mmCIF file of all heavy atoms in Angstrom:
data_model
loop_
_atom_site.group_PDB
_atom_site.id
_atom_site.type_symbol
_atom_site.label_atom_id
_atom_site.label_comp_id
_atom_site.label_asym_id
_atom_site.label_seq_id
_atom_site.Cartn_x
_atom_site.Cartn_y
_atom_site.Cartn_z
ATOM 1 N N ARG A 11 -16.841 11.226 21.409
ATOM 2 C CA ARG A 11 -16.583 11.234 19.991
ATOM 3 C C ARG A 11 -15.096 11.403 19.694
ATOM 4 O O ARG A 11 -14.537 10.756 18.807
ATOM 5 C CB ARG A 11 -17.387 12.310 19.269
ATOM 6 C CG ARG A 11 -18.829 11.985 19.178
ATOM 7 C CD ARG A 11 -19.606 13.056 18.452
ATOM 8 N NE ARG A 11 -21.016 12.724 18.397
ATOM 9 C CZ ARG A 11 -21.989 13.613 18.451
ATOM 10 N NH1 ARG A 11 -21.703 14.890 18.533
ATOM 11 N NH2 ARG A 11 -23.227 13.217 18.436
ATOM 12 N N ALA A 12 -14.448 12.282 20.410
ATOM 13 C CA ALA A 12 -13.001 12.511 20.228
ATOM 14 C C ALA A 12 -12.204 11.280 20.586
ATOM 15 O O ALA A 12 -11.284 10.901 19.874
ATOM 16 C CB ALA A 12 -12.535 13.710 21.070
ATOM 17 N N MET A 13 -12.601 10.607 21.689
ATOM 18 C CA MET A 13 -11.893 9.382 22.063
ATOM 19 C C MET A 13 -12.129 8.295 21.015
ATOM 20 O O MET A 13 -11.196 7.534 20.675
ATOM 21 C CB MET A 13 -12.391 8.876 23.418
ATOM 22 C CG MET A 13 -11.943 9.678 24.620
ATOM 23 S SD MET A 13 -10.219 9.415 25.021
ATOM 24 C CE MET A 13 -10.225 7.741 25.557
ATOM 25 N N ASP A 14 -13.328 8.198 20.479
ATOM 26 C CA ASP A 14 -13.632 7.211 19.462
ATOM 27 C C ASP A 14 -12.779 7.444 18.229
ATOM 28 O O ASP A 14 -12.207 6.501 17.654
ATOM 29 C CB ASP A 14 -15.115 7.283 19.105
ATOM 30 C CG ASP A 14 -15.567 6.173 18.186
ATOM 31 O OD1 ASP A 14 -15.081 5.043 18.366
ATOM 32 O OD2 ASP A 14 -16.391 6.414 17.310
ATOM 33 N N ARG A 15 -12.666 8.705 17.803
ATOM 34 C CA ARG A 15 -11.779 9.010 16.648
ATOM 35 C C ARG A 15 -10.340 8.706 16.976
ATOM 36 O O ARG A 15 -9.608 8.203 16.126
ATOM 37 C CB ARG A 15 -11.937 10.493 16.284
ATOM 38 C CG ARG A 15 -13.195 10.778 15.456
ATOM 39 C CD ARG A 15 -13.125 12.192 14.894
ATOM 40 N NE ARG A 15 -13.004 13.216 15.880
ATOM 41 C CZ ARG A 15 -14.022 13.816 16.508
ATOM 42 N NH1 ARG A 15 -15.276 13.441 16.251
ATOM 43 N NH2 ARG A 15 -13.784 14.735 17.423
ATOM 44 N N LYS A 16 -9.909 8.985 18.188
ATOM 45 C CA LYS A 16 -8.535 8.731 18.604
ATOM 46 C C LYS A 16 -8.203 7.253 18.536
ATOM 47 O O LYS A 16 -7.095 6.861 18.249
ATOM 48 C CB LYS A 16 -8.327 9.289 20.014
ATOM 49 C CG LYS A 16 -6.923 9.152 20.548
ATOM 50 C CD LYS A 16 -6.817 9.714 21.936
ATOM 51 C CE LYS A 16 -5.442 9.601 22.490
ATOM 52 N NZ LYS A 16 -5.331 10.176 23.854
ATOM 53 N N ILE A 17 -9.208 6.414 18.808
ATOM 54 C CA ILE A 17 -8.996 4.991 18.792
ATOM 55 C C ILE A 17 -9.018 4.423 17.364
ATOM 56 O O ILE A 17 -8.177 3.617 16.990
ATOM 57 C CB ILE A 17 -10.051 4.251 19.676
ATOM 58 C CG1 ILE A 17 -9.829 4.609 21.143
ATOM 59 C CG2 ILE A 17 -10.021 2.769 19.472
ATOM 60 C CD1 ILE A 17 -10.929 4.167 22.061
ATOM 61 N N GLU A 18 -9.943 4.912 16.537
ATOM 62 C CA GLU A 18 -10.124 4.334 15.190
ATOM 63 C C GLU A 18 -9.169 4.883 14.138
ATOM 64 O O GLU A 18 -8.722 4.157 13.267
ATOM 65 C CB GLU A 18 -11.537 4.584 14.729
ATOM 66 C CG GLU A 18 -12.571 3.762 15.452
ATOM 67 C CD GLU A 18 -13.963 4.023 14.927
ATOM 68 O OE1 GLU A 18 -14.149 4.968 14.139
ATOM 69 O OE2 GLU A 18 -14.883 3.221 15.282
ATOM 70 N N LEU A 19 -8.839 6.176 14.194
ATOM 71 C CA LEU A 19 -8.115 6.846 13.140
ATOM 72 C C LEU A 19 -6.748 6.258 12.845
ATOM 73 O O LEU A 19 -6.411 6.063 11.672
ATOM 74 C CB LEU A 19 -8.059 8.323 13.397
ATOM 75 C CG LEU A 19 -7.687 9.227 12.201
ATOM 76 C CD1 LEU A 19 -8.668 9.025 11.072
ATOM 77 C CD2 LEU A 19 -7.671 10.662 12.628
ATOM 78 N N PRO A 20 -5.866 6.020 13.840
ATOM 79 C CA PRO A 20 -4.506 5.543 13.497
ATOM 80 C C PRO A 20 -4.533 4.224 12.722
ATOM 81 O O PRO A 20 -3.758 4.064 11.758
ATOM 82 C CB PRO A 20 -3.849 5.328 14.862
ATOM 83 C CG PRO A 20 -4.599 6.240 15.775
ATOM 84 C CD PRO A 20 -5.988 6.261 15.280
ATOM 85 N N GLY A 21 -5.418 3.304 13.068
ATOM 86 C CA GLY A 21 -5.463 2.035 12.339
ATOM 87 C C GLY A 21 -5.918 2.214 10.900
ATOM 88 O O GLY A 21 -5.379 1.613 9.999
ATOM 89 N N LYS A 22 -6.913 3.091 10.713
ATOM 90 C CA LYS A 22 -7.404 3.364 9.361
ATOM 91 C C LYS A 22 -6.296 3.982 8.497
ATOM 92 O O LYS A 22 -6.087 3.592 7.369
ATOM 93 C CB LYS A 22 -8.599 4.308 9.398
ATOM 94 C CG LYS A 22 -9.849 3.646 9.884
ATOM 95 C CD LYS A 22 -11.013 4.631 9.901
ATOM 96 C CE LYS A 22 -12.298 3.986 10.404
ATOM 97 N NZ LYS A 22 -13.394 4.956 10.423
ATOM 98 N N ILE A 23 -5.631 4.993 9.055
ATOM 99 C CA ILE A 23 -4.587 5.693 8.272
ATOM 100 C C ILE A 23 -3.432 4.759 7.918
ATOM 101 O O ILE A 23 -3.034 4.667 6.783
ATOM 102 C CB ILE A 23 -4.087 6.926 9.055
ATOM 103 C CG1 ILE A 23 -5.159 7.994 9.097
ATOM 104 C CG2 ILE A 23 -2.797 7.470 8.402
ATOM 105 C CD1 ILE A 23 -4.821 9.193 9.970
ATOM 106 N N ILE A 24 -2.940 4.030 8.907
ATOM 107 C CA ILE A 24 -1.819 3.127 8.651
ATOM 108 C C ILE A 24 -2.240 2.007 7.703
ATOM 109 O O ILE A 24 -1.473 1.607 6.825
ATOM 110 C CB ILE A 24 -1.241 2.598 9.969
ATOM 111 C CG1 ILE A 24 -0.577 3.786 10.722
ATOM 112 C CG2 ILE A 24 -0.230 1.477 9.722
ATOM 113 C CD1 ILE A 24 -0.070 3.458 12.106
ATOM 114 N N GLY A 25 -3.422 1.465 7.851
ATOM 115 C CA GLY A 25 -3.898 0.435 6.931
ATOM 116 C C GLY A 25 -4.005 0.920 5.504
ATOM 117 O O GLY A 25 -3.614 0.221 4.586
ATOM 118 N N ILE A 26 -4.522 2.125 5.314
ATOM 119 C CA ILE A 26 -4.633 2.678 3.960
ATOM 120 C C ILE A 26 -3.247 2.955 3.376
ATOM 121 O O ILE A 26 -2.999 2.605 2.216
ATOM 122 C CB ILE A 26 -5.486 3.978 4.004
ATOM 123 C CG1 ILE A 26 -6.947 3.622 4.236
ATOM 124 C CG2 ILE A 26 -5.338 4.753 2.684
ATOM 125 C CD1 ILE A 26 -7.846 4.782 4.530
ATOM 126 N N VAL A 27 -2.354 3.562 4.167
ATOM 127 C CA VAL A 27 -0.985 3.824 3.658
ATOM 128 C C VAL A 27 -0.293 2.508 3.318
ATOM 129 O O VAL A 27 0.362 2.435 2.266
ATOM 130 C CB VAL A 27 -0.212 4.674 4.682
ATOM 131 C CG1 VAL A 27 1.277 4.750 4.297
ATOM 132 C CG2 VAL A 27 -0.790 6.082 4.787
ATOM 133 N N PHE A 28 -0.411 1.518 4.174
ATOM 134 C CA PHE A 28 0.237 0.231 3.936
ATOM 135 C C PHE A 28 -0.335 -0.419 2.641
ATOM 136 O O PHE A 28 0.410 -0.947 1.814
ATOM 137 C CB PHE A 28 0.019 -0.682 5.153
ATOM 138 C CG PHE A 28 0.787 -1.960 5.089
ATOM 139 C CD1 PHE A 28 2.166 -1.961 5.338
ATOM 140 C CD2 PHE A 28 0.181 -3.168 4.780
ATOM 141 C CE1 PHE A 28 2.916 -3.140 5.304
ATOM 142 C CE2 PHE A 28 0.879 -4.337 4.735
ATOM 143 C CZ PHE A 28 2.269 -4.322 4.997
ATOM 144 N N GLY A 29 -1.663 -0.348 2.493
ATOM 145 C CA GLY A 29 -2.284 -0.926 1.302
ATOM 146 C C GLY A 29 -1.876 -0.213 0.005
ATOM 147 O O GLY A 29 -1.609 -0.831 -1.015
ATOM 148 N N LEU A 30 -1.838 1.109 0.070
ATOM 149 C CA LEU A 30 -1.435 1.909 -1.102
ATOM 150 C C LEU A 30 0.030 1.649 -1.458
ATOM 151 O O LEU A 30 0.369 1.515 -2.638
ATOM 152 C CB LEU A 30 -1.687 3.384 -0.881
ATOM 153 C CG LEU A 30 -3.134 3.842 -0.883
ATOM 154 C CD1 LEU A 30 -3.234 5.307 -0.503
ATOM 155 C CD2 LEU A 30 -3.755 3.608 -2.277
ATOM 156 N N THR A 31 0.874 1.579 -0.433
ATOM 157 C CA THR A 31 2.306 1.317 -0.707
ATOM 158 C C THR A 31 2.459 -0.062 -1.329
ATOM 159 O O THR A 31 3.227 -0.234 -2.289
ATOM 160 C CB THR A 31 3.107 1.420 0.593
ATOM 161 O OG1 THR A 31 2.908 2.705 1.173
ATOM 162 C CG2 THR A 31 4.563 1.179 0.341
ATOM 163 N N SER A 32 1.732 -1.048 -0.809
ATOM 164 C CA SER A 32 1.799 -2.398 -1.360
ATOM 165 C C SER A 32 1.266 -2.420 -2.810
ATOM 166 O O SER A 32 1.810 -3.165 -3.644
ATOM 167 C CB SER A 32 0.986 -3.350 -0.523
ATOM 168 O OG SER A 32 1.515 -3.416 0.790
ATOM 169 N N THR A 33 0.253 -1.630 -3.094
ATOM 170 C CA THR A 33 -0.265 -1.557 -4.477
ATOM 171 C C THR A 33 0.779 -0.990 -5.392
ATOM 172 O O THR A 33 0.925 -1.462 -6.523
ATOM 173 C CB THR A 33 -1.535 -0.704 -4.471
ATOM 174 O OG1 THR A 33 -2.490 -1.255 -3.555
ATOM 175 C CG2 THR A 33 -2.144 -0.640 -5.852
ATOM 176 N N LEU A 34 1.489 0.064 -4.968
ATOM 177 C CA LEU A 34 2.554 0.645 -5.791
ATOM 178 C C LEU A 34 3.685 -0.373 -6.008
ATOM 179 O O LEU A 34 4.254 -0.440 -7.123
ATOM 180 C CB LEU A 34 3.079 1.919 -5.147
ATOM 181 C CG LEU A 34 2.110 3.095 -5.143
ATOM 182 C CD1 LEU A 34 2.662 4.231 -4.352
ATOM 183 C CD2 LEU A 34 1.773 3.522 -6.581
ATOM 184 N N ILE A 35 4.025 -1.118 -4.978
ATOM 185 C CA ILE A 35 5.059 -2.142 -5.135
ATOM 186 C C ILE A 35 4.607 -3.205 -6.114
ATOM 187 O O ILE A 35 5.376 -3.644 -6.980
ATOM 188 C CB ILE A 35 5.391 -2.774 -3.755
ATOM 189 C CG1 ILE A 35 6.117 -1.754 -2.895
ATOM 190 C CG2 ILE A 35 6.257 -4.033 -3.931
ATOM 191 C CD1 ILE A 35 6.287 -2.201 -1.450
ATOM 192 N N PHE A 36 3.335 -3.610 -6.010
ATOM 193 C CA PHE A 36 2.803 -4.585 -6.975
ATOM 194 C C PHE A 36 2.840 -4.064 -8.409
ATOM 195 O O PHE A 36 3.232 -4.750 -9.327
ATOM 196 C CB PHE A 36 1.361 -4.967 -6.590
ATOM 197 C CG PHE A 36 0.700 -5.842 -7.576
ATOM 198 C CD1 PHE A 36 1.003 -7.180 -7.656
ATOM 199 C CD2 PHE A 36 -0.254 -5.345 -8.466
ATOM 200 C CE1 PHE A 36 0.395 -8.019 -8.548
ATOM 201 C CE2 PHE A 36 -0.890 -6.160 -9.357
ATOM 202 C CZ PHE A 36 -0.590 -7.508 -9.412
ATOM 203 N N GLY A 37 2.453 -2.802 -8.570
ATOM 204 C CA GLY A 37 2.449 -2.164 -9.904
ATOM 205 C C GLY A 37 3.870 -2.070 -10.459
ATOM 206 O O GLY A 37 4.096 -2.279 -11.667
ATOM 207 N N SER A 38 4.839 -1.776 -9.611
ATOM 208 C CA SER A 38 6.239 -1.729 -10.058
ATOM 209 C C SER A 38 6.698 -3.095 -10.528
ATOM 210 O O SER A 38 7.383 -3.210 -11.551
ATOM 211 C CB SER A 38 7.143 -1.237 -8.915
ATOM 212 O OG SER A 38 6.792 0.040 -8.522
ATOM 213 N N GLY A 39 6.343 -4.121 -9.787
ATOM 214 C CA GLY A 39 6.691 -5.467 -10.192
ATOM 215 C C GLY A 39 6.032 -5.867 -11.489
ATOM 216 O O GLY A 39 6.658 -6.472 -12.364
ATOM 217 N N LEU A 40 4.777 -5.481 -11.678
ATOM 218 C CA LEU A 40 4.071 -5.765 -12.894
ATOM 219 C C LEU A 40 4.722 -5.049 -14.082
ATOM 220 O O LEU A 40 4.888 -5.642 -15.171
ATOM 221 C CB LEU A 40 2.608 -5.337 -12.768
ATOM 222 C CG LEU A 40 1.672 -5.685 -13.889
ATOM 223 C CD1 LEU A 40 1.576 -7.186 -14.066
ATOM 224 C CD2 LEU A 40 0.303 -5.087 -13.613
ATOM 225 N N ALA A 41 5.122 -3.818 -13.882
ATOM 226 C CA ALA A 41 5.786 -3.061 -14.942
ATOM 227 C C ALA A 41 7.123 -3.701 -15.336
ATOM 228 O O ALA A 41 7.482 -3.775 -16.526
ATOM 229 C CB ALA A 41 6.002 -1.611 -14.502
ATOM 230 N N LEU A 42 7.886 -4.179 -14.330
ATOM 231 C CA LEU A 42 9.147 -4.865 -14.629
ATOM 232 C C LEU A 42 8.902 -6.159 -15.411
ATOM 233 O O LEU A 42 9.702 -6.514 -16.272
ATOM 234 C CB LEU A 42 9.928 -5.135 -13.351
ATOM 235 C CG LEU A 42 10.665 -3.979 -12.735
ATOM 236 C CD1 LEU A 42 11.269 -4.399 -11.413
ATOM 237 C CD2 LEU A 42 11.759 -3.489 -13.659
ATOM 238 N N CYS A 43 7.860 -6.873 -15.077
ATOM 239 C CA CYS A 43 7.561 -8.145 -15.751
ATOM 240 C C CYS A 43 7.146 -7.916 -17.202
ATOM 241 O O CYS A 43 7.481 -8.678 -18.090
ATOM 242 C CB CYS A 43 6.443 -8.909 -15.047
ATOM 243 S SG CYS A 43 6.924 -9.641 -13.497
ATOM 244 N N ILE A 44 6.438 -6.849 -17.460
ATOM 245 C CA ILE A 44 5.917 -6.594 -18.811
ATOM 246 C C ILE A 44 7.029 -6.087 -19.742
ATOM 247 O O ILE A 44 7.073 -6.466 -20.901
ATOM 248 C CB ILE A 44 4.751 -5.573 -18.747
ATOM 249 C CG1 ILE A 44 3.546 -6.243 -18.095
ATOM 250 C CG2 ILE A 44 4.403 -5.048 -20.125
ATOM 251 C CD1 ILE A 44 2.401 -5.321 -17.823
ATOM 252 N N GLN A 45 7.900 -5.239 -19.244
ATOM 253 C CA GLN A 45 8.836 -4.545 -20.091
ATOM 254 C C GLN A 45 10.149 -5.281 -20.310
ATOM 255 O O GLN A 45 10.888 -4.927 -21.255
ATOM 256 C CB GLN A 45 9.145 -3.163 -19.533
ATOM 257 C CG GLN A 45 7.945 -2.248 -19.583
ATOM 258 C CD GLN A 45 8.227 -0.886 -19.013
ATOM 259 O OE1 GLN A 45 9.307 -0.639 -18.468
ATOM 260 N NE2 GLN A 45 7.283 0.038 -19.122
ATOM 261 N N THR A 46 10.512 -6.236 -19.509
ATOM 262 C CA THR A 46 11.879 -6.771 -19.626
ATOM 263 C C THR A 46 11.884 -8.276 -19.573
ATOM 264 O O THR A 46 10.906 -8.949 -19.271
ATOM 265 C CB THR A 46 12.735 -6.242 -18.461
ATOM 266 O OG1 THR A 46 12.174 -6.680 -17.246
ATOM 267 C CG2 THR A 46 12.880 -4.754 -18.485
ATOM 268 N N ASN A 47 13.093 -8.802 -19.823
ATOM 269 C CA ASN A 47 13.410 -10.247 -19.683
ATOM 270 C C ASN A 47 14.584 -10.374 -18.786
ATOM 271 O O ASN A 47 15.319 -9.429 -18.534
ATOM 272 C CB ASN A 47 13.694 -10.869 -21.018
ATOM 273 C CG ASN A 47 12.443 -10.937 -21.915
ATOM 274 O OD1 ASN A 47 11.363 -11.139 -21.423
ATOM 275 N ND2 ASN A 47 12.639 -10.786 -23.240
ATOM 276 N N GLY A 48 14.851 -11.577 -18.294
ATOM 277 C CA GLY A 48 16.061 -11.812 -17.486
ATOM 278 C C GLY A 48 15.875 -11.456 -16.053
ATOM 279 O O GLY A 48 14.811 -11.657 -15.442
ATOM 280 N N LEU A 49 16.930 -10.872 -15.484
ATOM 281 C CA LEU A 49 16.941 -10.540 -14.033
ATOM 282 C C LEU A 49 15.846 -9.529 -13.647
ATOM 283 O O LEU A 49 15.205 -9.727 -12.597
ATOM 284 C CB LEU A 49 18.325 -10.026 -13.603
ATOM 285 C CG LEU A 49 18.496 -9.754 -12.117
ATOM 286 C CD1 LEU A 49 18.265 -10.995 -11.295
ATOM 287 C CD2 LEU A 49 19.875 -9.158 -11.847
ATOM 288 N N PRO A 50 15.613 -8.445 -14.404
ATOM 289 C CA PRO A 50 14.498 -7.548 -14.038
ATOM 290 C C PRO A 50 13.150 -8.272 -14.002
ATOM 291 O O PRO A 50 12.272 -7.912 -13.185
ATOM 292 C CB PRO A 50 14.538 -6.462 -15.100
ATOM 293 C CG PRO A 50 15.930 -6.475 -15.591
ATOM 294 C CD PRO A 50 16.382 -7.905 -15.521
ATOM 295 N N PHE A 51 12.955 -9.258 -14.864
ATOM 296 C CA PHE A 51 11.701 -10.028 -14.857
ATOM 297 C C PHE A 51 11.557 -10.779 -13.537
ATOM 298 O O PHE A 51 10.476 -10.774 -12.921
ATOM 299 C CB PHE A 51 11.703 -11.027 -16.039
ATOM 300 C CG PHE A 51 10.433 -11.837 -16.122
ATOM 301 C CD1 PHE A 51 9.277 -11.264 -16.652
ATOM 302 C CD2 PHE A 51 10.383 -13.114 -15.623
ATOM 303 C CE1 PHE A 51 8.121 -12.016 -16.738
ATOM 304 C CE2 PHE A 51 9.204 -13.852 -15.712
ATOM 305 C CZ PHE A 51 8.073 -13.290 -16.240
ATOM 306 N N VAL A 52 12.624 -11.401 -13.060
ATOM 307 C CA VAL A 52 12.601 -12.118 -11.787
ATOM 308 C C VAL A 52 12.332 -11.136 -10.626
ATOM 309 O O VAL A 52 11.551 -11.431 -9.708
ATOM 310 C CB VAL A 52 13.917 -12.896 -11.566
ATOM 311 C CG1 VAL A 52 13.993 -13.513 -10.180
ATOM 312 C CG2 VAL A 52 14.097 -13.943 -12.647
#
């Protein structure tokens, strides 16, 4: 069981952190698009 957790856990953690970070980046981009025009929109 310990070996199984050792194999599965790093991928799960890094995948979740990568997905959450990407979601925050997407949200930041969405906020820039909604609030501004010009270069911040791009």
Side-chain angles (χ1 to χ4, degrees):
R11 286 183 182 145
M13 287 287 291
D14 188 38
R15 281 191 302 272
K16 182 179 180 180
I17 292 170
E18 289 182 349
L19 196 59
K22 287 181 181 178
I23 290 173
I24 292 173
I26 289 170
V27 169
F28 189 76
L30 287 174
T31 303
S32 298
T33 304
L34 291 174
I35 291 171
F36 174 76
S38 299
L40 186 62
L42 282 174
C43 287
I44 291 174
Q45 293 179 354
T46 61
N47 291 327
L49 184 60
F51 182 79
V52 173

